[in-house]
Amino acid sequence: MDDFSRLEAKLAKLRQRASAPGESRTIRGTPERLLAAVVSQIDETILPRELGFTQGDTSIFIAVANRRLQALVAASPLRDAAGGLVGKAIADAEDPALGQLRDVLIGLLAAGDVWTISSRRQSGDGFPSDIGVPSGPLARAWQIAASGAGRENPDAELADYLKSLGARATAWLLIEGEEVKDQSGPEDIVAGLSNKAALFLDGYFSKKDMLFQGETGPSGLVFAGDIDGAAVLFVECETSMAFVMTNAADVATLARDWQARVVL
């Protein structure tokens, strides 16, 4: 098995672990930022799940599948406005209930600025897989801007950024989903970078929410330089991530260049 195959196998296992039912994570922020984080969680959920958001005595459970918001399945305390929405499938982005649900969620999310996220299998027969509102139209319907994103397509922006690095980068890897989609640099250095990426991601997915609590836009980290004077910049946005190896003296400049592209 070559280095890329090992990295892709590691990615597949880690993403399964990261989305395991029952695992708890946290988000924080104002009600509006929390709502954006809820949409982000929906976008990350493929299998039929009930996503739970809990803060003290307040809890919200929504049915999600195929990156679609399907329904509000439970809320406590149950506000009058939410009573008619519990268990009611959201047909599409034009469903009048979608706007009502936004108001209910904003009201509930005002209970606190730190929320615990959990995931469980949908109870009973669940909802048909084609029912619900995909995360993209949902964000538009709820007037949620991509937090921290200065472009309409951050994934494409990342690919363009990597192509622009030229000789400033010793090597880089572009990862989309669970695949290494592109690379640059000498074969031996790229192989070493692949190994570093696998080691880093082994801990990253389990600690991501501690590092970026409530952040839903592009993010990044810099690895300290090694004995050879090299450093690695890691960036992630939407469904893509990249590892860039460069000189330790230049890594801060590359990080600022990326930030300038995606931060308004």
Side-chain angles (χ1 to χ4, degrees), residues 106-124:
I106 286 289
L108 290 168
L109 291 170
D113 61 355
V114 181
W115 290 72
T116 299
I117 309 170
S118 60
S119 175
R120 65 192 186 194
R121 297 183 185 278
Q122 289 190 13
S123 58

Side-chain angles (χ1 to χ4, degrees), residues 196-246:
K196 288 179 182 290
L199 289 171
F200 169 78
L201 292 173
D202 195 22
Y204 175 72
F205 284 126
S206 63
K207 301 298 183 183
K208 177 180 176 181
D209 290 289
M210 296 177 63
L211 290 168
F212 305 110
Q213 294 186 5
E215 298 293 336
T216 57
S219 57
L221 292 168
V222 173
F223 301 4
D226 58 25
I227 58 175
D228 296 322
V232 176
L233 169 65
F234 166 75
V235 295
E236 181 181 21
C237 64
E238 301 293 340
T239 61
S240 298
M241 63 181 72
F243 291 86
V244 181
M245 180 174 287
T246 185

Side-chain angles (χ1 to χ4, degrees), residues 17 27 36 67 88 103 114 144 155 176 184 188 209 244:
R17 184 195 309 170
I27 55 175
R67 295 175 174 165
K88 179 180 179 181
D103 294 339
V114 181
I144 294 173
D155 284 336
E176 293 182 4
S184 177
D188 58 335
D209 290 289
V244 181

